């Protein structure tokens, strides 16, 4: 947990104050416990909580101690230390303590699970692999103007792998050329079929300008809707065996 140091300069009782805001939205963070901890165990630590404007105040801090202040809510994250004064502005990130993949709104963070296993086949006469989701849930998480995809901790590698889900009509490219096996209309990861036996690669163009990196001991990545063109994507796990299926952009 990041600590913010407050040093008292005189033996007289001191005070501290500040304001806590959401780093993404600028909105005040209300009803969050602020824990002030003295270096001298003989000093009493007051109980402090942010108000409706995100402000907190603490009085009666004994001067012989060096005080630190932390957030008492594990759902909020301070990435680095900051100097504390009479009205310090603290910017915290809404993030759960556990590593994982989440959908973040202005008011909540919801964990996501890998929706589907990925199957794989090869194009006729080649060793080129084509992956496709075994199933598609009826409703997918949507990343739009009001939400972001949140990666907490070191998950899915340094560069998350997004693959566009490209629809295809019925194909007969499974089986063999002598005994083709028809396949119903479906979607495929990053390939557009131009015939029953040929496909062209389709890449997902990720705009890093719309990905916020938050460092510190618990790194965060907030991926906004504008990071990808509107559409449906698979966020592939490191082993390429499963994927999170996501819709980016406003609902049609």
């Amino acid at each position: 947990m990041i600590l913010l140091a407050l040093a008292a300069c005189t033996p007289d009782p001191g005070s501290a104050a500040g304001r806590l805001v959401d780093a993404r939205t600028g909105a005040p963070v209300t009803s969050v416990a602020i824990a002030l901890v003295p270096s001298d165990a003989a000093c009493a630590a007051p109980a402090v909580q942010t108000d409706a404007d995100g402000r907190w105040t603490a009085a009666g801090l004994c001067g012989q101690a060096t005080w630190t202040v932390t957030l008492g809510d594990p759902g909020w994250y301070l990435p680095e230390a900051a100097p504390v004064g009479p009205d310090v502005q603290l910017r915290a990130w809404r993030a759960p303590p556990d590593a994982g993949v989440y959908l973040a709104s202005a008011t909540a963070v919801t964990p996501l699970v890998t929706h589907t296993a990925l199957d794989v086949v090869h194009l006729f006469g080649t060793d080129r692999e084509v992956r496709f989701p075994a199933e598609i849930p009826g409703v997918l998480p949507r990343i739009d103007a009001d939400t972001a995809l949140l990666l907490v901790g070191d998950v899915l590698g340094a560069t998350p792998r997004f693959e566009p889900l490209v629809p295809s009509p019925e194909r007969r490219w499974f089986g063999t050329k002598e005994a083709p096996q028809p396949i119903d209309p479906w979607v495929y990861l990053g390939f557009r079929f131009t015939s029953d036996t040929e496909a062209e690669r389709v890449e997902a163009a990720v705009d890093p300008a719309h990905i916020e990196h938050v460092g510190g001991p618990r790194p965060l990545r907030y991926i906004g809707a504008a990071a990808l063109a509107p559409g449906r994507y698979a966020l592939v796990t490191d082993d390429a065996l499963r994927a999170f299926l996501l819709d980016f952009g406003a609902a049609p």
Side-chain angles (χ1 to χ4, degrees), residues 148-176:
L149 183 66
L150 171 59
L151 308 183
V152 178
D154 186 18
V155 294
L156 303 182
T159 304
R161 177 184 164 190
F162 289 95
E163 295 277 7
L165 291 183
V166 183
S168 174
E170 181 184 29
R171 292 296 181 193
R172 297 192 305 158
W173 57 286
F174 289 143
T176 67

Side-chain angles (χ1 to χ4, degrees), residues 123 128 130 190-201:
L123 293 179
R128 294 176 69 190
V130 179
F191 278 95
R192 176 179 292 110
F193 284 91
T194 56
S195 73
D196 282 349
T197 60
E198 298 176 327
E200 58 185 15
R201 192 77 171 93

Side-chain angles (χ1 to χ4, degrees), residues 76-91:
W76 290 93
Y77 174 62
L78 291 172
E80 60 185 10
V84 174
D87 188 22
V88 65
Q89 299 294 309
L90 301 179
R91 299 173 68 248

Side-chain angles (χ1 to χ4, degrees), residues 177-190:
K177 292 182 179 179
E178 294 74 22
Q181 177 183 347
I183 298 298
D184 291 335
W186 199 240
V187 294
Y188 300 91
L189 271 64

